[in-house]
Amino acid sequence: MSSEEPRKIRVVEFLRPPGTPVEMIDTPAMIVDLDVAEANIRDIQRVVSSGGAAMRPHTKTTKSPYWALKQIDAGAVGVCCAKVGEAEVLVEGGVSDILITSEIISAYKIARLAALARNADIKVVVDDADNARDISAAAIASKSQIGVLVDVNIRIDRCGVEPGEPTTTLAKIVDGLPGLNFEGLNGYEGHVFGLGDERIPETLEALEKLQFAVAEVKAAGLPVGTVSAGGTSTHDITSKVPEVTEIQAGSYIFMDGQYVDQELAFGPALTIMTQVISRPVADRAILDVGLKSIANDYGPPRVMGLDGAEFTKLSEEHGTLALEESAQGLVHGDVVHLLPSHAGTTINIHDYYFCVRNGILEDVVEVAGRGKFR
């Protein structure tokens, strides 16, 4: 080969075909047990429906039309997302009913929102009159109609106007703006920690504020067709509140460390499969997983199905296990499954879901909404 000829680089494709045993998937890999995830989808649909509400799952966790369509097939009326970019991915993937649960402010994002509303039923939350006017102007320019829910602060002091007069005043403004359809109210109570009935008082205290806001808006003569609320930790409580029409839970589909501790009725469906790359001493194993492939914003991951192994350290490219007893039998190349402490931030650093059933790869699904934070 002459010095002028380009070097040929051999690229080895790491994506395996359907039918591959899970252990043969290259690591680190984001593995989803389809049987568990699909059971979680069915189970929450049943619970929420029996409580009298509809499911509108939040896709900020899954970031994929693949999962959104599975949830809609199971009975969800539509989905939520957090960003316009996520909504664009969902519409492109065939999802037609979307609520964006974050305020959309910049002129560029509002223009994209209005354009998207020509092709799907798009709704968005607002907590500011000028923002509502900007969205109205964009809808008129784009010749589209945008659904709007007034965002009400009921617990977590993040976004939202206060219940009562501020909510009612903003609802009246939205209702009078061309290009907008006043849909109702959005009130997210946030993650309520606790086991079983321990969650009830704090959840209902927040929802009383939302009920008050609904009553005030109705008293002002405005119809409130939609009241959107609820999360994974409160779905079974919030869905029984008469005013609430839909539940926005998202994390239930996969679960993660923080939710597993609450002993909710869903199984952990998503793990990061990693591989032992070093066994320097008997009581320590080094894995090929690091901060670039698993998040630790809610704490370290947990080792699944391997007694005597504890995750002790996470650096950029390596994970460290402390080993006792039978776990000291780990050897180079063995795979280990880790439960992320936070699924949402872990998913956002991966390109693919490797969807497995009975230990066999069934599908490789792109995380199409990854990085769509604009």
Side-chain angles (χ1 to χ4, degrees):
M1 178 185 295
S2 71
S3 60
E4 282 120 25
E5 289 179 0
R7 283 186 68 192
K8 292 181 180 179
I9 300 174
R10 182 170 177 263
V11 178
V12 179
E13 180 55 71
F14 71 91
L15 297 180
R16 298 284 185 154
T20 300
V22 63
E23 295 83 3
M24 298 297 295
I25 298 169
D26 207 5
T27 58
M30 189 163 64
I31 307 295
V32 176
D33 186 318
L34 281 169
D35 285 335
V36 177
E38 290 168 357
N40 290 345
I41 292 171
R42 293 192 301 269
D43 289 346
I44 200 168
Q45 186 70 46
R46 174 181 49 79
V47 171
V48 168
S49 295
S50 68
M55 271 299 294
R56 182 179 289 278
H58 213 305
T59 64
K60 67 179 182 179
T61 298
T62 59
K63 299 183 182 295
S64 166
Y66 174 90
W67 298 109
L69 292 172
K70 275 185 178 288
Q71 291 164 318
I72 291 168
D73 287 346
V77 295
V79 298
C80 300
C81 66
K83 304 289 185 176
V84 176
E86 292 175 344
E88 289 167 338
V89 167
L90 289 166
V91 172
E92 184 178 353
V95 180
S96 60
D97 190 327
I98 301 166
L99 167 63
I100 301 175
T101 58
S102 297
E103 280 71 9
I104 305 302
I105 298 297
S106 76
Y108 177 57
K109 292 187 182 74
I110 291 172
R112 288 162 55 203
L113 175 75
L116 195 62
R118 293 199 299 260
N119 301 308
D121 182 358
I122 301 296
K123 295 170 276 286
V124 67
V125 302
V126 301
D127 65 1
D128 178 81
D130 287 339
N131 180 220
R133 294 185 184 102
D134 290 341
I135 296 172
S136 169
I140 294 168
S142 189
K143 298 181 180 179
S144 60
Q145 288 287 129
I146 299 173
V148 172
L149 281 71
V150 172
D151 200 8
V152 186
N153 176 31
I154 62 173
R155 177 173 173 263
I156 59 177
D157 293 334
R158 194 164 62 187
C159 299
V161 291
E162 294 305 305
E165 187 275 329
T167 296
T168 303
T169 297
L170 183 54
K172 289 178 179 178
I173 292 170
V174 170
D175 188 59
L177 289 171
L180 304 186
N181 298 321
F182 172 63
E183 302 274 353
L185 305 182
N186 179 80
Y188 178 50
E189 66 269 29
H191 191 161
V192 177
F193 292 91
L195 301 178
D197 291 349
E198 294 174 2
R199 301 164 296 139
I200 294 176
E202 192 170 1
T203 303
L204 293 183
E205 181 182 1
L207 292 170
E208 284 176 2
K209 297 177 182 179
L210 186 57
Q211 290 173 294
F212 171 66
V214 171
E216 291 291 292
V217 172
K218 287 183 175 179
L222 297 179
V224 182
T226 299
V227 179
S228 197
T232 294
S233 68
T234 62
H235 71 282
D236 54 333
I237 304 166
T238 305
S239 60
K240 296 176 183 176
V241 173
E243 289 82 357
V244 173
T245 65
E246 59 184 39
I247 300 297
Q248 299 180 5
S251 296
Y252 72 92
I253 187 172
F254 298 142
M255 299 295 283
D256 54 28
Q258 65 160 340
Y259 278 109
V260 165
D261 281 344
Q262 286 195 257
E263 300 178 10
L264 300 170
F266 309 108
L270 181 146
T271 59
I272 300 301
M273 188 175 77
T274 178
Q275 192 172 43
V276 176
I277 59 171
S278 180
R279 287 288 279 113
V281 293
D283 63 354
R284 185 169 75 245
I286 306 301
L287 308 175
D288 66 348
V289 67
L291 287 165
K292 295 175 182 176
S293 50
I294 194 167
N296 73 337
D297 48 324
Y298 288 174
R302 304 180 190 188
V303 182
M304 302 291 283
L306 181 61
D307 293 337
E310 181 182 0
F311 200 96
T312 59
K313 185 179 179 182
L314 189 66
S315 52
E316 280 194 56
E317 307 290 355
H318 301 87
T320 302
L321 296 182
L323 306 177
E324 296 180 352
E325 300 177 350
S326 62
Q328 293 187 356
L330 279 178
V331 299
H332 288 82
D334 281 349
V335 298
V336 176
H337 287 262
L338 302 175
L339 178 70
S341 61
H342 190 187
T345 49
T346 296
I347 290 165
N348 196 48
I349 52 180
H350 281 261
D351 292 317
Y352 300 101
Y353 294 101
F354 294 87
C355 301
V356 171
R357 202 183 302 275
N358 297 322
I360 301 297
L361 181 64
E362 185 170 302
D363 209 349
V364 179
V365 175
E366 182 185 5
V367 186
R370 175 189 176 186
K372 302 295 184 183
F373 44 73
R374 295 184 181 87

